[in-house]
Amino acid sequence: MNVIKIIFKNSIRMITLLIAVAIASFILVTSSPIDPVQSYVREGVAVSAEQREEIANYWGLYNSPIERFENWGKNILNGDMGTSLIYRKPVSEVIGEKFQSSIILMSISWIISGILGFVLGVIMGVFESSKIDKFIRNICFIISSTPSFWIGMMFLIIFSVKLGWFPIGFSVPIGVSSDNITFSQKLYHAILPAITLSFSSFSNIALHTRAKITEIMKSNYILFAKARGESLFNIIKRHVLRNALIPAVTLQFASISEIFGGSILAEQVFSYPGLGQTAVDAGLRGDIPLLLGIALISSIFVFLGNIIANILYAVLDPKIREGAKYSE
Amino acid sequence: MKNIPEIEIENLSITFKIYEKGLIQKNIKTISNLCLKAYKGEILAVVGSSGSGKSLLAHAIMGILPKNATVTGSIKYKGSELTEKRIHNLRGKEICIIPQSVSYLDPLMKVGSQVMIKNNKSCFEKMRNAFKRYDLCENAEKLYPFQYSGGMARRALISTVEQTEPSVIIADEPTPGLDKQMAYKTMKYFRDFADKGKAVIIITHDIDIAVQYADKVSVFYGGTTLETTKAENFIKGEKYLCHPYTKALYNALPQNGFKPVEGFQPSPYDVFEGCIYYDRCDIRCEKCKENIPIYNFPDGSGFVRCINGY
Ligand SMILES: Nc1ncnc2c1ncn2[C@@H]1O[C@H](COP(=O)(O)OP(=O)(O)OP(=O)(O)O)[C@@H](O)[C@H]1O
Ligand code: SF4
Ligand SMILES: [Mg+2]
């Protein structure tokens, strides 16, 4: 009942958000100084006035912005995101391809940062203000105030250049035809960027988890559990983890947006051809259809993360799951 | 040796280190020079106004005070010091607490399963029996604390002591929120428990019910005990009570005319010399501003902390 309501409510929200994103990015992109015709024919190539006229007519550049938006919107609704000017391929195909490499990168780092952050947070919280807590906390502070591209470069220098454990860049081995690339090779190329990426969010998760755990440890129900002679291990297992789970899950899914944002930088540093790098390319080279497509897809992606967080929250929290008397 | 108390507290003081306005550190003494004895086969009722330190006393015995609390004085169990390590091994087994409110239940755990200290058959049966006795139906086992009423939560908390076989029970206000019948049933349970040779400390505001079941009453005020006396003295009449505050409590009972006690209890933030009841006392004198000795009753049943008390 409740869960269905939440899904419904969030879907409505998502649709309105997407419309807003579409309009906003359309306005931004059409008012940018980049000449779409020039970027279509590539930089530096001379075009005669007639040719220019023809192309502009063909793309509908003389229509009013509202008409153009209508056209674009209609096509999007039919699943046609247009053609990428850089790749000369349908935008959906380009995004699909790039997304695949990005998703490997992002999911590895999402899992690493989630698990690492949670475990460290629990350790810090349970042993609040002990030496181990201070030690881990300082590390977290240092990491969260270090730019992730710098960490990425350090990793590259140490692990790829000096030690040679990992490849220097790209998502696949160079000079191997795409049919012969195995999943483990892709994984191998994704590890270093993924670790870099997870550095941008695990310390946040750890510090948030720590705050939640210290709050739990001070609660009356933990006091009572102690008074009943439950061992520390048992208290953590029976009460602490249970109560930390809901905020942790929410945090974890909310961190998707952070990971997504961070992936743009990480992909740049490692020349990893994923969605982030493609977005940068599309922006710099005026590939308007691709840029708009990526904007839409990434909003959907981030928003889905939030929806899942909300749904899990409802499923996990008995107050929402069973309590009809709590409406909001 | 009947005369060794199960729990014996002498000159207990609890001081909290708190930070005010940034980094100014302040020590506040919430409990000072508190004395209390709980004997086998007896119920000791601890009464006193809100904020007088009753829950803190219970938490001090159980060793669950917050980290910023410093404890001085002595707490003995069966004649020897109850060290941190010792209470660690004893709590939940020989010494049990029934805490004050629903917030002591894990909000995300079904009440039935958290009342059970271990997940096995005998704990389950003990839980079910206790629930039955306190009119909690089988369905109530499967509910979460937020689905409980205050009274139900209290009954579930009371049920927790039946999981083990303690020799001391400390109950922090077990009866408010319960209807008369249920309150009596609960007190009867404690009475039976005491009659089996165990010790019970009941913290309560309900002097009326308490004196019907308890053997002794200990009167708390501003973080210390002003008097410990036989419960029957509360029934016999005012002149059997010694401390002016105890008398005032007696006169505030409905059947004795509901006379309110004037004034306020001093806050632990005020530093005090001499009698803590000085401001509100009708019979105070200059000597009350000095240290007030404890006067033990000749029959050993209690004491009073007042120079004009006996
Ligand atoms: N963690 C703490 N830090 C500072 N002061 C505290 C702390 N816990 C309790 N106190 C103070 O100690 C005093 C006694 O509190 P306590 O909870 O023992 O009262 P009580 O007698 O149980 O009251 P009630 O009948 O309302 O339960 C109060 O003045 C309270 O402000
Ligand atoms: S010591 Fe003095 S002030 Fe205190 S209660 Fe007794 S008579 Fe009153
Ligand atoms: Mg209390």
Side-chain angles (χ1 to χ4, degrees):
Chain A
M1 246 306 278
N2 266 299
V3 174
I4 292 171
K5 221 160 78 190
I6 287 169
I7 295 179
F8 182 74
K9 218 165 65 186
N10 278 293
S11 308
I12 300 275
R13 246 190 244 169
M14 168 140 141
I15 290 166
T16 43
L17 179 92
L18 281 180
I19 293 173
V21 167
I23 295 175
S25 26
F26 192 86
I27 292 174
L28 283 177
V29 153
T30 45
S31 52
S32 91
I34 291 171
D35 177 5
V37 177
Q38 194 61 50
S39 63
Y40 174 65
V41 295
R42 297 283 154 86
E43 215 65 45
V45 178
V47 232
S48 72
E50 288 108 71
Q51 280 171 315
R52 176 176 286 274
E53 194 84 346
E54 216 167 297
I55 296 170
N57 250 333
Y58 178 75
W59 291 115
L61 286 180
Y62 294 129
N63 297 345
S64 75
I66 298 198
E67 268 173 327
R68 278 150 65 194
F69 183 71
E70 252 173 34
N71 258 331
W72 180 68
K74 253 188 235 148
N75 289 335
I76 292 274
L77 289 181
N78 291 326
D80 175 12
M81 293 199 274
T83 310
S84 158
L85 303 183
I86 310 177
Y87 294 90
R88 318 255 159 184
K89 273 198 282 190
V91 166
S92 48
E93 218 172 276
V94 177
I95 291 182
E97 221 170 77
K98 301 295 174 186
F99 197 72
Q100 268 181 15
S101 0
S102 278
I103 200 84
I104 298 179
L105 180 69
M106 288 191 286
S107 30
I108 295 176
S109 76
W110 187 65
I111 292 168
I112 294 178
S113 68
I115 294 175
L116 195 66
F118 187 72
V119 170
L120 290 179
V122 170
I123 294 174
M124 287 191 284
V126 169
F127 301 104
E128 192 202 348
S129 55
S130 68
K131 279 206 181 90
I132 179 114
D133 170 35
K134 281 179 192 144
F135 179 71
I136 301 177
R137 197 150 38 118
N138 283 334
I139 290 184
C140 285
F141 282 140
I142 291 170
I143 287 175
S144 65
S145 51
T146 312
S148 60
F149 70 85
W150 187 83
I151 295 178
M153 284 182 332
M154 287 299 126
F155 278 0
L156 262 183
I157 292 171
I158 297 169
F159 295 107
S160 302
V161 179
K162 284 253 156 66
L163 298 172
W165 292 353
F166 292 101
I168 295 182
F170 307 111
S171 66
V172 290
I174 302 162
V176 180
S177 85
S178 61
D179 309 332
N180 294 333
I181 296 167
T182 60
F183 182 70
S184 62
Q185 275 170 329
K186 284 187 189 168
L187 212 58
Y188 176 57
H189 277 76
I191 286 179
L192 211 50
I195 292 177
T196 307
L197 187 48
S198 64
F199 264 60
S200 63
S201 72
F202 93 85
S203 52
N204 244 340
I205 292 185
L207 291 170
H208 273 108
T209 307
R210 176 188 183 275
K212 188 69 207 170
I213 301 271
T214 50
E215 186 191 314
I216 293 173
M217 290 303 286
K218 288 198 184 90
S219 71
N220 282 340
Y221 54 91
I222 297 297
L223 272 193
F224 185 42
K226 277 187 197 157
R228 294 185 80 192
E230 290 186 38
S231 65
L232 183 62
F233 179 73
N234 215 27
I235 288 175
I236 293 174
K237 201 179 69 178
R238 227 161 96 109
H239 306 290
V240 176
L241 292 185
R242 186 189 299 264
N243 281 278
L245 188 68
I246 296 174
V249 164
T250 317
L251 206 60
Q252 179 64 6
F253 279 90
S255 79
I256 286 183
S257 56
E258 244 170 79
I259 295 256
F260 199 94
S263 75
I264 296 178
L265 276 179
E267 287 178 6
Q268 284 296 317
V269 174
F270 290 89
S271 358
Y272 189 93
L275 208 54
Q277 213 185 33
T278 311
V280 175
D281 278 353
L284 291 178
R285 292 164 62 183
D287 191 342
I288 293 172
L290 185 55
L291 199 56
L292 286 176
I294 292 177
L296 276 188
I297 294 293
S298 45
S299 328
I300 292 179
F301 185 71
V302 168
F303 206 78
L304 274 182
N306 286 330
I307 290 187
I308 294 173
N310 285 342
I311 293 172
L312 283 177
Y313 200 98
V315 172
L316 291 172
D317 188 349
K319 263 189 203 158
I320 303 182
R321 176 162 28 101
E322 293 187 15
K325 47 183 167 176
Y326 294 82
S327 49
E328 198 165 300
Chain B
M1 281 285 279
K2 191 196 173 289
N3 268 340
I4 292 181
E6 289 288 275
I7 297 279
E8 179 174 14
I9 295 175
E10 273 172 0
N11 288 323
L12 181 78
S13 296
I14 299 175
T15 309
F16 283 98
K17 203 183 278 176
I18 57 163
Y19 290 94
E20 260 185 356
K21 285 187 221 128
L23 290 174
I24 304 167
Q25 188 185 318
K26 208 171 170 185
N27 291 328
I28 54 166
K29 209 169 191 179
T30 49
I31 285 191
S32 49
N33 300 323
L34 187 144
C35 300
L36 177 146
K37 287 177 185 146
Y39 289 94
K40 271 186 192 162
E42 285 188 0
I43 295 181
L44 172 73
V46 172
V47 303
S49 49
S50 182
S52 58
K54 306 183 297 295
S55 297
L56 283 182
L57 162 76
H59 290 196
I61 299 173
M62 302 308 292
I64 52 171
L65 287 174
K67 279 183 199 148
N68 61 336
T70 318
V71 180
T72 57
S74 98
I75 302 176
K76 285 186 180 143
Y77 172 65
K78 289 190 198 285
S80 51
E81 202 63 37
L82 195 54
T83 57
E84 199 172 317
K85 197 170 162 208
R86 192 149 171 250
I87 186 64
H88 212 96
N89 296 325
L90 290 177
R91 62 191 179 197
K93 299 178 192 88
E94 288 187 34
I95 306 176
C96 281
I97 185 173
I98 298 170
Q100 193 170 358
S101 72
V102 65
S103 69
Y104 290 84
L105 290 173
D106 185 333
L108 295 184
M109 208 169 170
K110 289 180 179 155
V111 177
S113 42
Q114 63 177 310
V115 165
M116 290 155 58
I117 189 75
K118 285 210 178 74
N119 196 2
N120 61 30
K121 198 147 180 285
S122 93
C123 286
F124 177 75
E125 271 160 15
K126 284 178 197 159
M127 180 271 293
R128 185 156 275 186
N129 282 337
F131 270 36
K132 220 174 263 163
R133 173 140 17 106
Y134 296 115
D135 282 350
L136 292 167
C137 58
E138 280 180 28
N139 187 40
E141 295 167 12
K142 295 188 210 79
L143 295 180
Y144 290 92
F146 78 95
Q147 292 161 314
Y148 265 47
S149 71
M152 285 167 83
R154 198 141 271 145
R155 285 177 274 157
L157 287 168
I158 296 168
S159 308
T160 58
V161 286
E162 296 184 32
Q163 289 285 309
T164 46
E165 283 178 21
S167 37
V168 177
I169 292 180
I170 303 164
D172 196 350
E173 305 199 20
T175 51
L178 302 184
D179 58 53
K180 268 257 144 40
Q181 204 190 347
M182 197 53 75
Y184 282 119
K185 211 176 199 170
T186 309
M187 293 304 281
K188 178 85 176 52
Y189 176 80
F190 290 135
R191 186 68 257 170
D192 291 345
F193 183 80
D195 289 343
K196 279 187 271 178
K198 315 287 169 99
V200 182
I201 300 173
I202 298 178
I203 294 166
T204 181
H205 285 284
D206 223 335
I207 301 181
D208 248 347
I209 301 182
V211 295
Q212 293 176 47
Y213 287 91
D215 300 277
K216 286 184 189 142
V217 177
S218 192
V219 179
F220 268 44
Y221 185 80
T224 192
T225 28
L226 294 183
E227 178 171 4
T228 298
T229 184
K230 284 192 188 138
E232 60 190 49
N233 291 339
F234 266 88
I235 300 169
K236 286 198 322 221
E238 187 186 344
K239 68 172 195 286
Y240 293 89
L241 303 169
C242 296
H243 199 282
Y245 180 60
T246 318
K247 291 182 190 200
L249 280 182
Y250 175 86
N251 287 322
L253 291 177
Q255 64 270 34
N256 304 330
F258 250 140
K259 288 189 247 359
V261 196
E262 305 252 322
F264 300 99
Q265 175 178 259
S267 122
Y269 290 80
D270 305 332
V271 182
F272 251 87
E273 289 267 340
C275 179
I276 191 152
Y277 193 60
Y278 186 84
D279 284 348
R280 296 166 84 179
C281 186
D282 293 332
I283 52 169
R284 64 185 170 213
C285 56
E286 268 311 300
K287 274 178 80 185
C288 304
K289 285 184 178 163
E290 288 157 27
N291 208 19
I292 310 293
I294 281 184
Y295 182 82
N296 284 305
F297 301 148
D299 64 352
S301 65
F303 67 87
V304 62
R305 195 193 294 271
C306 167
I307 51 169
N308 296 326
Y310 205 69

